[in-house]
Amino acid sequence: MLKEKSIFPVTNQRPERVLTFLITSIEGICLLARYQPTIALEACKNTPRISIINKQCLGGKLKTMEMDIDGASKPKDEKACEQEKEKGKQIVALLVGAPASGKSTFCENVMRASSRPWVRICQDTINNGKAGSKPLCLKSAAASLKEGKSVFIDRCNLGKDQRVDFVKLGGSEVEVHAVVLDLPAKLCISRIAKRTGHEGNLQGGKAAAVVNRMLQNKELPKLSEGFSRITFCRNETDVETAVNTYAAVGPLDTLSHGCFGQKDPSAKTQLGILKFLKRPHETDTQDSVPSQPTEGNSQCGKTQETVSSSSGMANQKIKVSEDPVPGSISQDDSDVPTLAFPSISTADFQFNLEKASDIIVQKVEEFMDKLGNAKLVLVDLTERSKILSLVRAKAAEKNIDSKRFFTFVGDICQLYTKGGLRCNVIANAANWRLKPGGGGVNAAIFNAAGAALEAATMDRAKSLHPGNALVVPLPSTSPLYYKEGVTHVIHVLGPNMNPNRPNCLDNDYIKGCKVLEDAYSSLFKGFLSVANTQVSFPSSGSISSGPSKLKEDTSGTKTNSWAPCLQALYNIAMQPEKHNKQVLEASDDLVVINDMYPKAKRHLLVLARIKGLDCLADVRKEHLHLLKTMHEVGLRWTNKFLGEDASLVIRLGYHSIPSMRQLHLHVISQDFDSKCLKHKKHWNSFTTAFFRDSVDVIEEVNNHGKATILDDNKLLSMELRCHRCRSAHPNIPRLKSHISNCQDPFPAELQKKGRLVPVHTNSDIDP
Ligand code: AMP
């Protein structure tokens, strides 16, 4: 066996000397594997006598590693056998990164150490050593896949449109991954400025400008594009970890699905050369993550950690903005109803894993058609979980859509905050008394949900029979609700094969399988009933459907899938008496508050108080009177402001796609003099056609029964232009410095119909 005390210093040795030395000692390889997995793999590859059976065990998991000597394959470790039996899929891994981010080096390092057949398809050299086209890369990738190889797509792939065709190469036997080399622009640019002899001839100072332009338009990949795994690397340590992870994936291995090292997907590009070359006193916040902490106490503003993969990736922190950017909410698939469930009965109740995995896959398959675009996720705490690997393999055999049913490694109580996976419903492997305790998932869920879950459960039932499930809506006071976005917990009770627990079936698997089937049917039906209370879910990547919509539930009130952190305005509108400090004015119809993150000297919100009137898209003719009242109240406040400061100009209107729930009218002065205005999207949401003037909305609703929604995402991504003279500016600070001095008249369109207050009159403008 391997002995810890045999550790010897290898890190200072030259690799070739280490290899020569190591092949004399199996133990030496194992120890090296612990500290230098890449070199150890190389040593094994070059040594016919030695191979490492389970390369996934490298990197700190020495105790599960077994050696095979002279080709005699005798793995002694049960876990190693399990993983070996599982059939690994081919992988298409798209490298995503600016020039000089290290894409080619990444591929080369993996390929040097990997026992899996990889091909690197590099657009810079694909045409007989010269740069080629995307179709050529696609063709070459398809051919390599046919030969059974896994493929690295070594091109920048910085836009979704650049990736979409490569994602289509995936299928039941091919997983598509993205490896994002999101290294500091500064590093890429300094590398590029120095490099010579680049295979695509992209080098020198001119290339730095290209990098900058590319970074300005970068779109980070999302799982909803069709990737089963995305690895974000933000520094060289992350890259090294990712190389080791991919290098350790043998032909039979698979990597777990999900986002690793995740960064806020809505955070756009880091700064490019503009920032890099800027004088130190200048700051540039365009499209960057806010650099200073944002105010407020919204639950949304939490620090997130990603789930850590078994490959030993370092957890990373990402900051979610407290002040959501308009129009961004529906851009991912976080609104799609998703059920996360643990394997039922296989832990404490000791149900046979093979049989249980058959039942899970059979039941998932049965419900797939009924679920629409909803998703099912089987969750376990550890990547080495046998049930996860069995289910993955069986689901793949049955060609079950891996985007709608997949496995996930993480804590079911922290899927969103630690894993970035939003699941609005989670299942609990409950006990028959529906009580907390007992360890495992049940204890964890009751613990995380707090007393609110216990009370809500007892309101509905006092016990549960094996084979049944109980849907419990989670009160909004539960931390699982407001931190994780879980709206329902479904308790499920499966069959028990453990003689030390109640109702043991004494190994009667005929009965046991039937009960387990019933339990999953009941669970999925319960989830279906929750999912069906939602009218429509925006298709992934679509902004046009706006934030997730609500539907009347059986009690006549609406259930909703807005993230709790986006409901602050709704909560104030529904219960203004509980928000005395914020409320400036309240009536039966509306509530007036100061915007918590004002984007100008004066910025008010007039909130409608009708339940279910979430956004402009919900407005109909019957709301006309309310719209007029909101406008009148907005005007009254406007006049007050003008009385205090006659230099102000004020505009009243709605965002086409709001970020926050509950219809609200913005009353905003046109100085835009505010530190809270940080993003291009902020600016464009108030100065492009995305902003719908209240007067126009009233007219349209009066004439056509509804308002026009200009929800084109391009409006929010447009270049920054002064709202008065229309001059273009490279970033927010420059724009702000310009608008603080610009005295040009407002565009003619804005001066019509009372869109601006006070009314600006030019002789050439229609009254
Ligand atoms: P919209 O994009 O039209 O939904 O705008 C929502 C507005 O609500 C933004 O201007 C935010 O600054 C503002 N806001 C966000 N959270 C709060 C809050 N808790 N109280 C008051 N205003 C808020």
Side-chain angles (χ1 to χ4, degrees):
M1 274 315 286
L2 310 169
K3 292 189 199 86
E4 192 74 26
K5 64 180 163 54
S6 318
I7 291 174
F8 52 88
V10 291
T11 43
N12 295 331
Q13 305 273 357
R14 287 211 318 267
E16 60 278 25
R17 287 186 55 196
V18 171
L19 297 188
T20 318
F21 172 61
L22 282 173
I23 54 174
T24 63
S25 157
I26 298 165
E27 206 168 70
I29 297 253
C30 294
L31 289 164
L32 179 65
R34 180 165 182 165
Y35 298 101
Q36 298 269 319
T38 315
I39 298 176
L41 282 166
E42 187 68 18
C44 298
K45 219 165 69 181
N46 297 337
T47 309
R49 286 179 54 239
I50 306 172
S51 68
I52 294 175
I53 290 170
N54 182 4
K55 294 188 178 84
Q56 275 195 323
C57 296
L58 291 177
K61 295 188 171 52
L62 190 61
K63 63 180 183 308
T64 58
M65 192 168 71
E66 297 290 343
M67 305 304 296
D68 184 17
I69 304 171
D70 291 333
S73 181
K74 291 181 203 127
K76 295 178 199 122
D77 184 288
E78 202 199 334
K79 286 187 176 124
C81 293
E82 284 163 19
Q83 293 193 342
E84 194 178 11
K85 269 190 254 157
E86 193 186 330
K87 187 178 174 299
K89 290 185 183 179
Q90 284 167 267
I91 299 173
V92 172
L94 271 78
L95 277 299
V96 177
S101 56
K103 299 185 293 298
S104 302
T105 311
F106 179 94
C107 301
E108 280 158 13
N109 286 344
V110 172
M111 289 164 79
R112 199 174 303 129
S114 177
S115 60
R116 171 181 276 253
W118 283 101
V119 171
R120 175 172 81 104
I121 293 176
C122 173
Q123 188 160 332
D124 286 338
T125 55
I126 195 159
N127 186 12
N128 289 328
K130 292 197 209 117
S133 60
K134 188 167 106 177
L136 208 53
C137 293
L138 282 162
K139 201 170 146 198
S140 171
S144 299
L145 287 171
K146 258 197 193 141
E147 289 169 14
K149 294 176 179 151
S150 289
V151 176
F152 282 120
I153 307 293
D154 179 1
R155 59 198 294 279
C156 294
N157 297 313
L158 286 167
K160 187 177 168 189
D161 56 332
Q162 289 295 319
R163 299 186 285 260
V164 63
D165 292 327
F166 292 100
V167 172
K168 286 182 193 153
L169 292 169
S172 60
E173 291 308 312
V174 181
E175 289 191 351
V176 187
H177 297 188
V179 177
V180 186
L181 302 183
D182 198 16
L183 298 169
K186 191 172 162 178
L187 178 67
C188 302
I189 289 167
S190 69
R191 277 182 189 165
I192 230 171
K194 283 183 211 146
R195 77 184 177 187
T196 55
H198 173 245
E199 51 191 17
N201 202 26
L202 189 65
Q203 57 203 39
K206 210 169 64 187
V210 174
V211 173
N212 179 62
R213 204 174 49 241
M214 291 173 95
L215 287 176
Q216 295 296 319
N217 296 316
K218 180 178 77 173
E219 276 176 288
L220 291 176
K222 293 176 184 164
L223 291 176
S224 56
E225 287 175 39
F227 294 106
S228 54
R229 179 187 174 98
I230 304 179
T231 308
F232 291 93
C233 304
R234 288 191 285 165
N235 52 45
E236 291 181 81
T237 313
D238 292 351
V239 176
E240 203 182 314
T241 310
V243 166
N244 288 339
T245 301
Y246 274 86
V249 183
L252 303 175
D253 300 326
T254 51
L255 283 174
S256 47
H257 292 180
C259 278
F260 297 84
Q262 192 181 26
K263 171 176 175 169
D264 177 0
S266 65
K268 238 195 153 197
T269 326
Q270 51 187 307
L271 304 174
I273 194 169
L274 293 177
K275 163 88 174 182
F276 181 41
L277 300 177
K278 205 174 278 291
R279 287 187 298 280
H281 68 272
E282 285 180 329
T283 52
D284 180 340
T285 55
Q286 179 182 346
D287 287 344
S288 67
V289 186
S291 53
Q292 71 229 49
T294 37
E295 317 87 311
N297 57 356
S298 159
Q299 291 292 352
C300 198
K302 57 193 165 281
T303 299
Q304 280 194 341
E305 288 180 3
T306 60
V307 73
S308 123
S309 77
S310 68
S311 57
M313 276 185 150
N315 285 347
Q316 300 203 16
K317 310 233 173 193
I318 62 168
K319 181 97 173 120
V320 179
S321 169
E322 292 175 0
D323 174 14
V325 178
S328 62
I329 301 306
S330 60
Q331 282 182 288
D332 58 27
D333 58 356
S334 60
D335 294 331
V336 173
T338 304
L339 166 71
F341 63 101
S343 169
I344 306 297
S345 288
T346 47
D348 195 31
F349 285 178
Q350 300 178 355
F351 200 92
N352 176 283
L353 296 183
E354 280 291 347
K355 293 187 181 20
S357 56
D358 283 340
I359 291 172
I360 293 173
V361 174
Q362 174 207 326
K363 286 289 154 189
V364 165
E365 198 181 21
E366 207 176 296
F367 273 80
M368 255 344 201
D369 290 344
K370 303 177 188 146
L371 283 172
N373 64 347
K375 294 181 184 179
L376 302 174
V377 187
L378 176 67
V379 176
D380 201 341
L381 270 177
T382 160
E383 176 141 3
R384 291 186 305 281
S385 150
K386 184 169 181 182
I387 193 79
L388 285 199
S389 56
L390 284 171
V391 167
R392 260 202 313 264
K394 290 177 185 179
E397 258 169 38
K398 293 199 166 198
N399 279 334
I400 292 180
D401 181 352
S402 61
K403 287 182 201 117
R404 288 170 54 228
F405 171 58
F406 51 92
T407 61
F408 196 85
V409 177
D411 176 351
I412 200 161
C413 304
Q414 296 181 301
L415 291 173
Y416 181 54
T417 51
K418 291 246 168 127
L421 179 71
R422 191 181 278 288
C423 298
N424 59 326
V425 184
I426 61 173
N428 175 31
N431 54 42
W432 71 272
R433 292 180 305 125
L434 290 168
K435 286 284 187 195
V441 172
N442 184 61
I445 291 182
F446 271 106
N447 198 20
L453 175 61
E454 204 182 335
T457 303
M458 286 301 125
D459 275 355
R460 284 179 159 68
K462 301 282 181 270
S463 64
L464 195 60
H465 288 294
N468 286 293
L470 175 74
V471 178
V472 179
L474 203 52
S476 59
T477 49
S478 163
L480 264 189
Y481 180 96
Y482 61 75
K483 286 189 185 164
E484 299 292 324
V486 175
T487 60
H488 294 76
V489 172
I490 307 184
H491 298 293
V492 197
L493 185 60
N496 172 31
M497 294 296 177
N498 180 349
N500 300 320
R501 298 280 176 268
N503 304 320
C504 176
L505 291 179
D506 294 329
N507 238 14
D508 180 352
Y509 270 97
I510 298 188
K511 192 163 178 196
C513 287
K514 170 82 179 62
V515 176
L516 192 59
E517 283 169 24
D518 290 348
Y520 279 108
S521 294
S522 195
L523 167 63
F524 294 157
K525 273 186 203 155
F527 172 55
L528 217 57
S529 71
V530 176
N532 282 341
T533 60
Q534 294 177 298
V535 171
S536 65
F537 304 101
S539 57
S540 300
S542 144
I543 193 169
S544 57
S545 0
S548 52
K549 299 291 299 297
L550 315 177
K551 188 186 178 182
E552 303 288 343
D553 69 11
T554 44
S555 63
T557 56
K558 290 189 171 194
T559 57
N560 79 84
S561 60
W562 289 75
C565 57
L566 304 177
Q567 311 224 28
L569 305 186
Y570 169 82
N571 293 336
I572 297 171
M574 292 307 130
Q575 293 180 304
E577 66 284 0
K578 288 196 176 164
H579 300 88
N580 282 336
K581 283 192 188 141
Q582 276 162 282
V583 172
L584 301 173
E585 173 182 343
S587 69
D588 287 350
D589 297 327
L590 53 85
V591 173
V592 182
I593 58 169
N594 275 315
D595 192 297
M596 190 179 257
Y597 311 103
K599 309 297 182 298
K601 279 183 187 162
R602 294 283 189 274
H603 189 177
L604 284 184
L605 300 175
V606 182
L607 317 178
R609 292 198 64 197
I610 296 181
K611 211 170 185 165
L613 194 56
D614 290 339
C615 54
L616 200 51
D618 294 331
V619 168
R620 293 292 175 269
K621 194 137 192 179
E622 67 260 29
H623 304 121
L624 188 59
H625 179 71
L626 173 67
L627 294 178
K628 287 181 178 170
T629 310
M630 290 169 75
H631 187 83
E632 275 162 24
V633 170
L635 277 181
R636 181 153 45 74
W637 280 92
T638 298
N639 289 331
K640 180 174 183 312
F641 294 150
L642 294 175
E644 291 159 4
D645 180 351
S647 71
L648 295 176
V649 176
I650 292 181
R651 200 172 165 194
L652 294 82
Y654 300 86
H655 280 151
S656 285
I657 304 290
S659 54
M660 306 285 290
R661 180 183 183 191
Q662 196 62 19
L663 183 73
H664 50 275
L665 172 72
H666 290 268
V667 178
I668 183 164
S669 59
Q670 297 298 291
D671 48 83
F672 296 110
D673 178 5
S674 162
K675 65 178 172 39
C676 293
L677 198 155
K678 295 171 183 167
H679 302 287
K680 181 187 259 190
K681 285 192 176 184
H682 286 153
W683 175 257
N684 284 335
S685 74
F686 288 104
T687 58
T688 66
F690 186 87
F691 190 81
R692 301 295 343 276
D693 286 285
S694 174
V695 284
D696 295 330
V697 167
I698 290 173
E699 187 178 294
E700 285 162 9
V701 173
N702 189 30
N703 295 342
H704 313 293
K706 58 182 184 179
T708 308
I709 311 287
L710 289 164
D711 59 356
D712 189 342
N713 198 25
K714 283 191 195 130
L715 289 171
L716 296 179
S717 322
M718 272 166 56
E719 62 189 343
L720 295 167
R721 285 191 175 274
C722 170
H723 58 316
R724 299 177 84 129
C725 69
R726 310 300 302 153
S727 59
H729 299 271
N731 53 50
I732 292 281
R734 296 270 178 89
L735 173 78
K736 282 188 172 175
S737 127
H738 166 83
I739 58 174
S740 63
N741 294 315
C742 182
Q743 292 301 322
D744 274 25
F746 285 92
E749 271 310 299
L750 275 189
Q751 299 193 37
K752 294 180 188 168
K753 292 188 178 173
R755 290 182 181 116
L756 291 177
V757 191
V759 176
H760 277 234
T761 43
N762 275 5
S763 51
D764 55 345
I765 304 292
D766 303 339

